Amino acid sequence: TALISDDQNHAHLWSLTEDKAPQLVQTSVIITGLRGADALVGGLKPQTRIVTSGVDSLQAGEHVHISSITSER
């Protein structure tokens, strides 16, 4: 999962800057609801790129290589 829970209503996730060489940034979100195994969140800008793999071993400011882009669900 991309979401890292801080408490019942708040969490953060890793997203990417929009630079030519994207970097990791931690983005705070608000959990607004649940739909099955998915969390509905608020606080993201449209088109925010979210990191979903390896989230437990990432550090802010790391440069990343985008190997594939998946479409919205």
Side-chain angles (χ1 to χ4, degrees):
T1 180
L3 201 61
I4 302 164
S5 180
D6 295 330
D7 62 40
Q8 188 173 353
N9 297 316
H10 298 88
H12 64 275
L13 48 78
W14 291 103
S15 63
L16 301 177
T17 61
E18 296 181 20
D19 306 328
K20 283 186 180 183
Q23 293 183 35
L24 291 169
V25 291
Q26 224 177 48
T27 304
S28 295
V29 294
I30 298 170
I31 301 169
T32 59
L34 299 173
R35 185 177 296 153
D38 295 330
L40 307 174
V41 300
L44 293 174
K45 292 190 260 180
Q47 306 301 319
T48 299
R49 293 183 291 176
I50 298 170
V51 178
T52 60
S53 181
V55 297
D56 294 329
S57 61
L58 303 176
Q59 294 182 8
E62 283 186 81
H63 290 275
V64 297
H65 171 74
I66 300 170
S67 60
S68 67
I69 297 176
T70 58
S71 62
E72 292 182 24
R73 289 170 69 177

